[in-house]
Amino acid sequence: MTDKAAIRFQGARVVYPNGAVGLAGVDLDIKPGEFVVVVGSSGAGKSTLLRSVNGLTPLTSGSITVGGQPVPKKEGRELRRLRAGVGMIFQDFRITRRLSVMTNVLVGRVAHVPGWRAMLNLWPAADREIAFRALERVSIADKAWVRAGDLSGGQQQRVGIARALAQEPAIILADEPVASLDPVTTHQIMRDLVRINQELGITTLVNLHFLDLARRYGQRIIGLKAGELVYDGTADSVTQADFKNIYGRDPDAGDLLDESEAS
Amino acid sequence: MNEASRAAPGRPLRPARNWTLIIAAVGAVSLMTWWSARGIGFSLVELACNLPGGRRLLVESWPPDWSFFPRLLGPLLETLQIAVVGTVIGGILAIPIAVLAARNLTPGFLVWFVDRNFMNILRTLPDLFWAMLFAAAVGFGPIAGALALTVFTIAVISKLWSESLEAIDMAVPEAVRAAGGSWLAMLQFGAIPQALPHYVSYALYAFELNVRASMILGLVGAGGIGMVLETQRSTFEYPRVTLIVLSVLVLVLIIEKISESIRRRLV
Amino acid sequence: MTVRTTLAPAAGMGWATQVTLFIAVLFLVCAWAIDLTPAALANLPRQMATVLSFFYPADLNYGATRVWPALLESIQIAWMGTIIAAMLSLPLALLGARTLFPRIARLVKLISATARAFPEILLAIYFVPIVGLGAFAGALAIGISSVGMLTKLGSEVVESIDMGPVEAVQAAGGSRLLALRYAVVPQVLPEIVAHWLFRFELNIRASAVLGVVGAGGVGGVLLNTLRYRHFEKAAAVLLLTILVVLIIDMVSGAIRRRLLR
Ligand SMILES: Nc1ncnc2c1ncn2[C@@H]1O[C@H](COP(=O)(O)OP(=O)(O)OP(=O)(O)O)[C@@H](O)[C@H]1O
Ligand SMILES: [Mg+2]
């Protein structure tokens, strides 16, 4: 389990077909159970970094290993097996609004049950149990049979988290999970993620836009700038100068969720 | 998990499915399909009897009889003429019918009610039924076809355009009314200009449909290329039938491409 | 918006007048070509009134014995045609979506455009000799020509969906097929079924016509009654057809509105 949760980037480089550089050769070691926050200005390559871990964005060169296994560059059985152990949470939730909350969470089990069962929506009792536990962990088990689209934004993101948890993953990737939520919900979701990381020991990578959130919830902070790793340190040791280096300018109120925390 | 705040909120039971609705829907669809299949299945016997002859006919229908083509030019042209006449007359008549059927513009409930139902009834009958009716009334020939397409055009445009009219911004029409303008002035200066692009777009769409329809009107004697098709079909001259079908398709596609490119520029 | 729309006619007047003039001339030329003279037009109302007067009273006995069975057959043809088309077009609609299958989509779109180009009645002209006079030929013709439109509309629905959930299923380790099952189909099914119903409404009209070329249904009955000038019988055909189509439109429309709510 712990071994499966380590991620190692070696010269990881992503160049998009249009020539845009997503990652410009990143070397990075993430230890099992770490809670890592990735910061950087828009276009710095945060999403690319996360998406390369589960192969949604294939590397152009270099390599990434997850639990010692290299991430396959082509879609296929190998890559699906790797993804089964890596949960992903998205800024825009990406749940199917017309399906029930329960079905959305069971989607997290697709790679763990025989294909025909998943196809026919016939889930083994054990998998239903896992899905329910995942919902309980984010406190929305009471909504299990509600149409997912009828929930509030924060609740929908919890469904997204529960779906990731239902995978019983070794790693969770969260790409700006709170960017479309209000401040109160933002803190609740961030606390959920930290708690899950602590209770289950799931290695967690979170992209964040707000500096104060990064400092408050991150153990380790990674700074990206134009696809390059420009900062790597603990949340306590990060300084104003470091942020200036990452963002290329002094942080202002717009970079903070709660302006009151700026001073 | 042992914090009081998150202590088991209780797992809700999966709500029972609405089995009545599911069974009713599945049952209705299966029943309809079974009933229809049985009704149609009777012709499967004929299928077996006809297959050998039919295959021969199909083989014969290729290649098309190209030498017949010069005799198609006149009827093809007539077909387009029918479509133009039907679209223009129908397009003009559709304007008042659409206006009276638009809830926000109609002068009174009774007018609206009568007009709307008139519109719906027009829409129930297919183009060829109108063609048969007019052929019976005014005799075989292109005039019957043009009249049939007139009715068909009214049905198409008035329905679509009355919906566009209902969606317009009522600020200007109401201002015209408030300034003492008459109902007609309100239409002319406030309402119609807003929905004019839609009108043109629907008129072009109706023209496309009419060109398509005009090709087959002749099957019931209402003029155009369809009359040639009908004589060749009933004498089983399939190489010629193929030629006619091909030229019809090409003409329809050309008209559609032109009309589509105009419509795209409008919207 | 308001300013633009009120100004537009004035600014584009020259162009609009030219087009109107062109259409007017074209119309006059065409009307003249098909002998639609003012005299013929003036004569029209009287002619129509005379013929229409023959339609009364409708021969309801004929309606019950001869028209009703033919109408039912038209409904059967339309239903089977729609079922055939729905079954074939569902997978095609998915395959024809650029966003899901960029390579196959072009081919599927080409096939569906070709199927769409053929009016049912032209297809029926070929099916009648192959499978014999009657309803089966009609259902095949309707089915095939509907596949084209349903595939096109279906692909458009699929292309308009939120692709986020599709990626989410794949990110959880699901195959493309499972992504279709849990992210695409639930998003598109109501719209697609609504399109099926709408096509059924159109197919009722189409199948009513097919009898003209011997492919079953009520069209042949109308053609015969008019040919032999049995106008009261024709009136029964028209009345019953209008009634049945109105009812089917109403029911189908109500279901469609519920689906899309
Ligand atoms: N699908 C794509 N095709 C082409 N270029 C892309 C694509 N996705 C990202 N890029 C480019 O790659 C670079 C890194 O993008 P990425 O999305 O990783 O940044 P980000 O840090 O997540 O930004 P944001 O904070 O705006 O989400 C940018 O220059 C971007 O324009
Ligand atoms: Mg991003």
PDB file of all heavy atoms in Angstrom, chain C residues 126-148:
ATOM      1  N   TYR C 126     -38.244   1.348 -54.674  1.00  0.00           N
ATOM      2  CA  TYR C 126     -37.340   0.217 -54.860  1.00  0.00           C
ATOM      3  C   TYR C 126     -37.709  -0.978 -53.991  1.00  0.00           C
ATOM      4  O   TYR C 126     -37.546  -2.119 -54.388  1.00  0.00           O
ATOM      5  CB  TYR C 126     -35.891   0.637 -54.585  1.00  0.00           C
ATOM      6  CG  TYR C 126     -35.322   1.392 -55.746  1.00  0.00           C
ATOM      7  CD1 TYR C 126     -35.437   2.774 -55.819  1.00  0.00           C
ATOM      8  CD2 TYR C 126     -34.710   0.724 -56.804  1.00  0.00           C
ATOM      9  CE1 TYR C 126     -34.954   3.471 -56.907  1.00  0.00           C
ATOM     10  CE2 TYR C 126     -34.222   1.407 -57.899  1.00  0.00           C
ATOM     11  CZ  TYR C 126     -34.347   2.789 -57.944  1.00  0.00           C
ATOM     12  OH  TYR C 126     -33.883   3.456 -59.019  1.00  0.00           O
ATOM     13  N   PHE C 127     -38.201  -0.699 -52.788  1.00  0.00           N
ATOM     14  CA  PHE C 127     -38.497  -1.821 -51.889  1.00  0.00           C
ATOM     15  C   PHE C 127     -39.732  -2.589 -52.322  1.00  0.00           C
ATOM     16  O   PHE C 127     -39.820  -3.785 -52.098  1.00  0.00           O
ATOM     17  CB  PHE C 127     -38.671  -1.330 -50.450  1.00  0.00           C
ATOM     18  CG  PHE C 127     -37.364  -0.940 -49.829  1.00  0.00           C
ATOM     19  CD1 PHE C 127     -37.265   0.175 -49.012  1.00  0.00           C
ATOM     20  CD2 PHE C 127     -36.228  -1.706 -50.053  1.00  0.00           C
ATOM     21  CE1 PHE C 127     -36.063   0.544 -48.448  1.00  0.00           C
ATOM     22  CE2 PHE C 127     -35.013  -1.342 -49.499  1.00  0.00           C
ATOM     23  CZ  PHE C 127     -34.936  -0.226 -48.700  1.00  0.00           C
ATOM     24  N   VAL C 128     -40.679  -1.891 -52.926  1.00  0.00           N
ATOM     25  CA  VAL C 128     -41.917  -2.573 -53.311  1.00  0.00           C
ATOM     26  C   VAL C 128     -41.635  -3.764 -54.237  1.00  0.00           C
ATOM     27  O   VAL C 128     -42.083  -4.873 -53.957  1.00  0.00           O
ATOM     28  CB  VAL C 128     -42.937  -1.590 -53.917  1.00  0.00           C
ATOM     29  CG1 VAL C 128     -44.040  -2.329 -54.644  1.00  0.00           C
ATOM     30  CG2 VAL C 128     -43.524  -0.724 -52.817  1.00  0.00           C
ATOM     31  N   PRO C 129     -40.873  -3.602 -55.318  1.00  0.00           N
ATOM     32  CA  PRO C 129     -40.607  -4.779 -56.144  1.00  0.00           C
ATOM     33  C   PRO C 129     -39.785  -5.843 -55.422  1.00  0.00           C
ATOM     34  O   PRO C 129     -39.932  -7.033 -55.705  1.00  0.00           O
ATOM     35  CB  PRO C 129     -39.854  -4.214 -57.350  1.00  0.00           C
ATOM     36  CG  PRO C 129     -39.404  -2.869 -56.959  1.00  0.00           C
ATOM     37  CD  PRO C 129     -40.352  -2.371 -55.937  1.00  0.00           C
ATOM     38  N   ILE C 130     -38.923  -5.443 -54.499  1.00  0.00           N
ATOM     39  CA  ILE C 130     -38.084  -6.448 -53.842  1.00  0.00           C
ATOM     40  C   ILE C 130     -38.879  -7.249 -52.826  1.00  0.00           C
ATOM     41  O   ILE C 130     -38.908  -8.478 -52.861  1.00  0.00           O
ATOM     42  CB  ILE C 130     -36.883  -5.793 -53.128  1.00  0.00           C
ATOM     43  CG1 ILE C 130     -36.043  -5.012 -54.133  1.00  0.00           C
ATOM     44  CG2 ILE C 130     -36.034  -6.870 -52.467  1.00  0.00           C
ATOM     45  CD1 ILE C 130     -34.942  -4.230 -53.482  1.00  0.00           C
ATOM     46  N   VAL C 131     -39.553  -6.557 -51.901  1.00  0.00           N
ATOM     47  CA  VAL C 131     -40.221  -7.294 -50.827  1.00  0.00           C
ATOM     48  C   VAL C 131     -41.717  -7.430 -51.078  1.00  0.00           C
ATOM     49  O   VAL C 131     -42.422  -8.011 -50.271  1.00  0.00           O
ATOM     50  CB  VAL C 131     -39.979  -6.638 -49.451  1.00  0.00           C
ATOM     51  CG1 VAL C 131     -38.510  -6.483 -49.197  1.00  0.00           C
ATOM     52  CG2 VAL C 131     -40.679  -5.305 -49.356  1.00  0.00           C
ATOM     53  N   GLY C 132     -42.192  -6.875 -52.178  1.00  0.00           N
ATOM     54  CA  GLY C 132     -43.602  -7.047 -52.498  1.00  0.00           C
ATOM     55  C   GLY C 132     -44.428  -5.863 -52.068  1.00  0.00           C
ATOM     56  O   GLY C 132     -44.052  -5.118 -51.163  1.00  0.00           O
ATOM     57  N   LEU C 133     -45.564  -5.702 -52.718  1.00  0.00           N
ATOM     58  CA  LEU C 133     -46.492  -4.642 -52.346  1.00  0.00           C
ATOM     59  C   LEU C 133     -46.851  -4.784 -50.884  1.00  0.00           C
ATOM     60  O   LEU C 133     -47.030  -5.891 -50.397  1.00  0.00           O
ATOM     61  CB  LEU C 133     -47.775  -4.774 -53.166  1.00  0.00           C
ATOM     62  CG  LEU C 133     -47.750  -4.295 -54.612  1.00  0.00           C
ATOM     63  CD1 LEU C 133     -49.051  -4.687 -55.276  1.00  0.00           C
ATOM     64  CD2 LEU C 133     -47.549  -2.798 -54.663  1.00  0.00           C
ATOM     65  N   GLY C 134     -46.938  -3.652 -50.163  1.00  0.00           N
ATOM     66  CA  GLY C 134     -47.460  -3.760 -48.811  1.00  0.00           C
ATOM     67  C   GLY C 134     -46.635  -3.085 -47.754  1.00  0.00           C
ATOM     68  O   GLY C 134     -45.639  -2.403 -48.019  1.00  0.00           O
ATOM     69  N   ALA C 135     -47.085  -3.336 -46.523  1.00  0.00           N
ATOM     70  CA  ALA C 135     -46.603  -2.585 -45.380  1.00  0.00           C
ATOM     71  C   ALA C 135     -45.120  -2.801 -45.086  1.00  0.00           C
ATOM     72  O   ALA C 135     -44.433  -1.899 -44.621  1.00  0.00           O
ATOM     73  CB  ALA C 135     -47.433  -2.945 -44.150  1.00  0.00           C
ATOM     74  N   PHE C 136     -44.645  -4.007 -45.357  1.00  0.00           N
ATOM     75  CA  PHE C 136     -43.261  -4.305 -45.014  1.00  0.00           C
ATOM     76  C   PHE C 136     -42.307  -3.382 -45.776  1.00  0.00           C
ATOM     77  O   PHE C 136     -41.378  -2.820 -45.194  1.00  0.00           O
ATOM     78  CB  PHE C 136     -42.963  -5.775 -45.320  1.00  0.00           C
ATOM     79  CG  PHE C 136     -41.636  -6.232 -44.830  1.00  0.00           C
ATOM     80  CD1 PHE C 136     -41.299  -6.129 -43.487  1.00  0.00           C
ATOM     81  CD2 PHE C 136     -40.701  -6.773 -45.706  1.00  0.00           C
ATOM     82  CE1 PHE C 136     -40.073  -6.555 -43.030  1.00  0.00           C
ATOM     83  CE2 PHE C 136     -39.471  -7.192 -45.245  1.00  0.00           C
ATOM     84  CZ  PHE C 136     -39.150  -7.086 -43.914  1.00  0.00           C
ATOM     85  N   ALA C 137     -42.598  -3.210 -47.063  1.00  0.00           N
ATOM     86  CA  ALA C 137     -41.784  -2.297 -47.872  1.00  0.00           C
ATOM     87  C   ALA C 137     -41.829  -0.890 -47.276  1.00  0.00           C
ATOM     88  O   ALA C 137     -40.807  -0.205 -47.187  1.00  0.00           O
ATOM     89  CB  ALA C 137     -42.283  -2.274 -49.307  1.00  0.00           C
ATOM     90  N   GLY C 138     -43.008  -0.492 -46.849  1.00  0.00           N
ATOM     91  CA  GLY C 138     -43.157   0.836 -46.273  1.00  0.00           C
ATOM     92  C   GLY C 138     -42.328   1.010 -45.014  1.00  0.00           C
ATOM     93  O   GLY C 138     -41.619   2.007 -44.854  1.00  0.00           O
ATOM     94  N   ALA C 139     -42.402   0.012 -44.118  1.00  0.00           N
ATOM     95  CA  ALA C 139     -41.658   0.116 -42.858  1.00  0.00           C
ATOM     96  C   ALA C 139     -40.160   0.195 -43.121  1.00  0.00           C
ATOM     97  O   ALA C 139     -39.447   0.975 -42.484  1.00  0.00           O
ATOM     98  CB  ALA C 139     -41.984  -1.076 -41.959  1.00  0.00           C
ATOM     99  N   LEU C 140     -39.685  -0.609 -44.080  1.00  0.00           N
ATOM    100  CA  LEU C 140     -38.259  -0.569 -44.418  1.00  0.00           C
ATOM    101  C   LEU C 140     -37.871   0.813 -44.942  1.00  0.00           C
ATOM    102  O   LEU C 140     -36.860   1.385 -44.515  1.00  0.00           O
ATOM    103  CB  LEU C 140     -37.946  -1.613 -45.486  1.00  0.00           C
ATOM    104  CG  LEU C 140     -37.632  -3.014 -45.002  1.00  0.00           C
ATOM    105  CD1 LEU C 140     -37.280  -3.893 -46.195  1.00  0.00           C
ATOM    106  CD2 LEU C 140     -36.480  -2.987 -44.008  1.00  0.00           C
ATOM    107  N   ALA C 141     -38.688   1.319 -45.850  1.00  0.00           N
ATOM    108  CA  ALA C 141     -38.375   2.628 -46.444  1.00  0.00           C
ATOM    109  C   ALA C 141     -38.330   3.705 -45.367  1.00  0.00           C
ATOM    110  O   ALA C 141     -37.395   4.511 -45.303  1.00  0.00           O
ATOM    111  CB  ALA C 141     -39.407   2.987 -47.502  1.00  0.00           C
ATOM    112  N   ILE C 142     -39.333   3.699 -44.513  1.00  0.00           N
ATOM    113  CA  ILE C 142     -39.391   4.703 -43.447  1.00  0.00           C
ATOM    114  C   ILE C 142     -38.225   4.538 -42.493  1.00  0.00           C
ATOM    115  O   ILE C 142     -37.577   5.506 -42.088  1.00  0.00           O
ATOM    116  CB  ILE C 142     -40.712   4.572 -42.683  1.00  0.00           C
ATOM    117  CG1 ILE C 142     -41.835   4.913 -43.631  1.00  0.00           C
ATOM    118  CG2 ILE C 142     -40.706   5.413 -41.426  1.00  0.00           C
ATOM    119  CD1 ILE C 142     -42.866   5.801 -43.100  1.00  0.00           C
ATOM    120  N   GLY C 143     -37.946   3.288 -42.133  1.00  0.00           N
ATOM    121  CA  GLY C 143     -36.848   3.025 -41.205  1.00  0.00           C
ATOM    122  C   GLY C 143     -35.544   3.566 -41.746  1.00  0.00           C
ATOM    123  O   GLY C 143     -34.835   4.302 -41.064  1.00  0.00           O
ATOM    124  N   ILE C 144     -35.238   3.231 -42.988  1.00  0.00           N
ATOM    125  CA  ILE C 144     -33.930   3.613 -43.517  1.00  0.00           C
ATOM    126  C   ILE C 144     -33.815   5.117 -43.678  1.00  0.00           C
ATOM    127  O   ILE C 144     -32.798   5.712 -43.323  1.00  0.00           O
ATOM    128  CB  ILE C 144     -33.661   2.876 -44.842  1.00  0.00           C
ATOM    129  CG1 ILE C 144     -33.412   1.404 -44.497  1.00  0.00           C
ATOM    130  CG2 ILE C 144     -32.467   3.473 -45.568  1.00  0.00           C
ATOM    131  CD1 ILE C 144     -33.132   0.544 -45.666  1.00  0.00           C
ATOM    132  N   SER C 145     -34.893   5.754 -44.154  1.00  0.00           N
ATOM    133  CA  SER C 145     -34.725   7.195 -44.338  1.00  0.00           C
ATOM    134  C   SER C 145     -34.726   7.920 -42.994  1.00  0.00           C
ATOM    135  O   SER C 145     -34.180   9.006 -42.884  1.00  0.00           O
ATOM    136  CB  SER C 145     -35.774   7.754 -45.291  1.00  0.00           C
ATOM    137  OG  SER C 145     -36.967   7.965 -44.605  1.00  0.00           O
ATOM    138  N   SER C 146     -35.324   7.306 -41.957  1.00  0.00           N
ATOM    139  CA  SER C 146     -35.274   7.949 -40.635  1.00  0.00           C
ATOM    140  C   SER C 146     -33.910   7.798 -39.968  1.00  0.00           C
ATOM    141  O   SER C 146     -33.509   8.650 -39.176  1.00  0.00           O
ATOM    142  CB  SER C 146     -36.331   7.357 -39.702  1.00  0.00           C
ATOM    143  OG  SER C 146     -37.603   7.446 -40.267  1.00  0.00           O
ATOM    144  N   VAL C 147     -33.225   6.700 -40.269  1.00  0.00           N
ATOM    145  CA  VAL C 147     -31.909   6.489 -39.661  1.00  0.00           C
ATOM    146  C   VAL C 147     -31.016   7.691 -39.913  1.00  0.00           C
ATOM    147  O   VAL C 147     -30.319   8.162 -39.024  1.00  0.00           O
ATOM    148  CB  VAL C 147     -31.235   5.212 -40.223  1.00  0.00           C
ATOM    149  CG1 VAL C 147     -29.770   5.182 -39.863  1.00  0.00           C
ATOM    150  CG2 VAL C 147     -31.921   3.989 -39.698  1.00  0.00           C
ATOM    151  N   GLY C 148     -31.076   8.193 -41.130  1.00  0.00           N
ATOM    152  CA  GLY C 148     -30.217   9.329 -41.472  1.00  0.00           C
ATOM    153  C   GLY C 148     -30.441  10.509 -40.559  1.00  0.00           C
ATOM    154  O   GLY C 148     -29.516  11.013 -39.934  1.00  0.00           O
TER     155      GLY C 148
END
